[in-house]
Amino acid sequence: MQMMRDVDLANGYWGAIAVLAPMKGNFCLVIDGPIGCHYVPIDSALNYTDAIPYLQNVFATHILEKDVALDGTLHKLKKLCGELLERYDDIFILSCQESEIISSEGAMLEAEIEGRRVWYINTASLDVDDYQAREDTLLYLYNRVRPKLPPQESIQSTKPLVNIIGPTFGNFNAYADFAEIKRIVKSIGAEINVALPFECSLNDITRLDDGAVNIVMYKEYGEGLAKALGKPMLFGPIGIAATTEFIEELGRLLGLEKEAQAFIAEEKRTTLQGFWDVWRSPHQDIFRTSSFGVYTHRSYAEGLTTFLRDELGFEEAISAVKTDRWKSKKALDIEAALLENTPTLFFGSINEKVYITEHILSTRFIPAAHPMPIVCRSTGTPFMGYAGVMYLTQIVSNELFDILYSHIHIEYDTEKEKRRQERETARKEWEEELKGQSIAREVKWSEEALKHMDVVLKRVPFFVRVSASKMLKVESEKIAKEKFREYVLPEDVDVVFSRFKR
């Protein structure tokens, strides 16, 4: 697996919002920044990535150039926080790039006033990306905020308790993966203690120490908090082997080994039945002759690569991790990688979809990372767990079927009429030119056309190459005949291939 330069990570301020905004409770966020720092992440980005409405508990100072004084924007922060203290128990002030540049001293406002608290989080937007900020914010909540919150009663249950760290807002397909992890935990006889931050209130973080095991959904963040809790830690699994190992280890750690084995056996008879059915069909031959590319964040990149390559049998063309653009020294160009080793299927973000479209590649794109204008609110589309195995098998199978179908040439009515007129014009011209001459019934292939045919066929998925070759040959010869030429030329092959790619 290679490291590639990333151009689409947000900064630390976005990461802090992604952690704090999903939690419930009587608290609010105050953004010390201009109007764009409020409306872009709170309205636009979360709406088209997480499909959530406008967040009602996020406010901003909306600083203008004229508002910047010797103390930065402290005067505006004081005014806004004073108004909000009457309504909220906790206020979190978040810095952004602009307030960090002008050195706004928001930390001076940290205080506890009649049981209400004001917190200041320096998100280090100029120095860290959003995933590092998620890690830092989770640790801030545990180390700084938790000790000053009113303690909550522990869950009274005979079942062992499990914490789930993640997801936050802005994680691709988070709702479905989260639902699958919860399903696994509950199915082996355990209970969710705290699911931070998706399904907990701010005060619930006082119960984090009650968890016997911590499940960290993503490798990108959350590990630091899990280590601070000092309990066994597991990461969200992708693929059959990883999920089986995850369930067995979770059962062992919780003293639920028998329950875990029983659940695995039941899943093989139910959830995974569709996978076995697909595997026993001709799909396995198609998988082996197809390739894939992955360019996502670490959890998906590593999980998808292992599953597609080792368990489905795809050939690995590209496997790379979106990483911190400031730390990556040896980085490849993803656009160049797509051109050099074009895969049959590609899992990535909107950036790679644009590259595939611009270069008219035959690659089929499958969304698997942000940034991506996409709604992912259904809980039935996980990549993680046994349900994820079935869902991923289903979508790659359907994409391959669509590729197969796309190489059946469909000629639209407008094309038919255009080609008829071209043939009629060419026929009249050649009738005049070839009067008294014999016209060849068969056409030959020029050496250049044959070589070009080989190049073009390499851009066609292997499992449809035979049928595509036949169609390219027949249609290219038809064009040569229509133009009354004795030889097929490379441009004839290109014309036919362009029809197939539509």
Side-chain angles (χ1 to χ4, degrees), residues 420 422-432 482 484:
R420 188 194 66 76
E422 290 175 350
R423 287 198 301 270
E424 188 65 28
T425 302
R427 184 175 289 109
K428 289 179 180 179
E429 292 175 353
W430 277 83
E431 281 176 355
E432 290 297 321
E482 290 172 356
F484 298 93

Side-chain angles (χ1 to χ4, degrees), residues 261-362:
Q261 290 300 329
F263 175 65
I264 292 171
E266 179 64 19
E267 287 290 281
K268 288 180 178 179
R269 290 192 296 270
T270 55
T271 306
L272 290 176
Q273 183 59 51
F275 175 81
W276 310 131
D277 292 341
V278 169
W279 187 249
R280 288 193 293 267
S281 73
H283 287 74
Q284 58 178 301
D285 296 322
I286 300 176
F287 293 158
R288 290 171 184 160
T289 56
S290 302
S291 61
F292 74 90
V294 175
Y295 185 41
T296 64
H297 302 297
R298 183 169 299 280
S299 298
Y300 271 23
E302 293 179 354
L304 286 171
T305 297
T306 301
F307 175 64
L308 294 169
R309 182 191 61 207
D310 300 343
E311 298 183 0
L312 288 187
F314 279 80
E315 178 187 347
E316 178 187 329
I318 302 170
S319 179
V321 178
K322 287 179 178 289
T323 188
D324 188 335
R325 60 181 176 270
W326 295 295
K327 295 178 182 177
S328 180
K329 295 179 180 179
K330 294 182 179 179
L332 296 178
D333 185 340
I334 185 62
E335 183 176 9
L338 280 165
L339 293 171
E340 182 180 348
N341 196 7
T342 304
T344 311
L345 305 176
F346 190 87
F347 293 78
S349 69
I350 188 64
N351 295 357
E352 295 76 57
K353 181 176 174 63
V354 170
Y355 297 147
I356 290 168
T357 304
E358 285 181 340
H359 294 287
I360 321 177
L361 302 179
S362 57

Side-chain angles (χ1 to χ4, degrees), residues 13-283:
Y13 155 72
W14 288 60
I17 285 180
V19 170
L20 294 166
M23 288 193 293
K24 302 174 180 65
N26 189 34
F27 72 93
C28 70
L29 310 182
V30 171
I31 298 157
D32 185 18
I35 193 166
C37 290
H38 180 210
Y39 289 114
V40 174
I42 301 305
D43 289 355
S44 304
L46 288 180
N47 187 268
Y48 72 69
T49 58
D50 289 282
I52 62 172
Y54 172 79
L55 296 175
Q56 300 296 323
N57 65 334
V58 182
F59 303 88
T61 53
H62 292 166
I63 57 176
L64 302 172
E65 186 176 352
K66 65 181 181 180
D67 296 322
V68 181
L70 291 176
D71 60 352
T73 56
L74 193 61
H75 56 290
K76 293 207 72 172
L77 270 175
K78 282 181 179 178
K79 182 176 183 297
L80 180 57
C81 289
E83 297 169 356
L84 295 173
L85 268 175
E86 299 177 1
R87 296 160 52 188
Y88 295 100
D89 293 333
D90 292 272
I91 297 175
F92 290 91
I93 302 172
L94 306 182
S95 69
C96 66
Q97 286 176 308
E98 288 76 9
S99 60
E100 291 171 19
I101 289 173
I102 62 178
S103 300
S104 183
E105 297 295 335
M108 295 174 64
L109 294 181
E110 279 199 331
E112 185 167 354
I113 305 169
E114 297 180 355
R116 300 174 187 268
R117 296 161 292 273
V118 178
W119 310 92
Y120 175 75
I121 300 179
N122 182 353
T123 64
S125 294
L126 294 172
D127 302 309
V128 302
D129 62 40
D130 57 327
Y131 283 110
Q132 181 60 52
R134 291 174 210 223
E135 184 80 271
D136 296 342
T137 305
L138 288 169
L139 283 168
Y140 182 91
L141 287 172
Y142 182 71
N143 293 326
R144 293 283 307 279
V145 179
R146 177 186 56 88
K148 294 187 178 182
L149 294 176
Q152 303 296 296
E153 288 188 10
S154 299
I155 295 176
Q156 301 301 314
S157 175
T158 57
K159 299 177 180 179
L161 300 177
V162 174
N163 293 326
I164 300 179
I165 301 173
T168 65
F169 283 154
N171 283 123
F172 183 86
N173 206 27
Y175 292 88
D177 285 334
F178 182 50
E180 175 64 0
I181 295 300
K182 288 194 297 180
R183 183 182 77 91
I184 292 173
V185 170
K186 294 177 181 178
S187 295
I188 69 169
E191 188 169 341
I192 307 297
N193 179 47
V194 177
L196 177 67
F198 243 41
E199 287 186 353
C200 78
S201 68
L202 182 62
N203 290 337
D204 285 339
I205 64 176
T206 61
R207 294 191 286 105
L208 279 169
D209 289 314
D210 295 344
V213 173
N214 297 300
I215 297 176
V216 180
M217 288 278 294
Y218 306 100
K219 296 179 180 178
E220 293 86 87
Y221 65 90
E223 185 175 358
L225 174 58
K227 288 180 177 178
L229 289 168
K231 303 290 178 62
M233 170 177 54
L234 297 173
F235 290 102
I238 295 178
I240 295 177
T243 301
T244 302
E245 182 180 344
F246 172 86
I247 295 171
E248 290 176 341
E249 181 63 9
L250 183 60
R252 185 189 69 80
L253 292 170
L254 298 175
L256 300 171
E257 292 94 331
K258 291 182 179 179
E259 292 84 348
Q261 290 300 329
F263 175 65
I264 292 171
E266 179 64 19
E267 287 290 281
K268 288 180 178 179
R269 290 192 296 270
T270 55
T271 306
L272 290 176
Q273 183 59 51
F275 175 81
W276 310 131
D277 292 341
V278 169
W279 187 249
R280 288 193 293 267
S281 73
H283 287 74

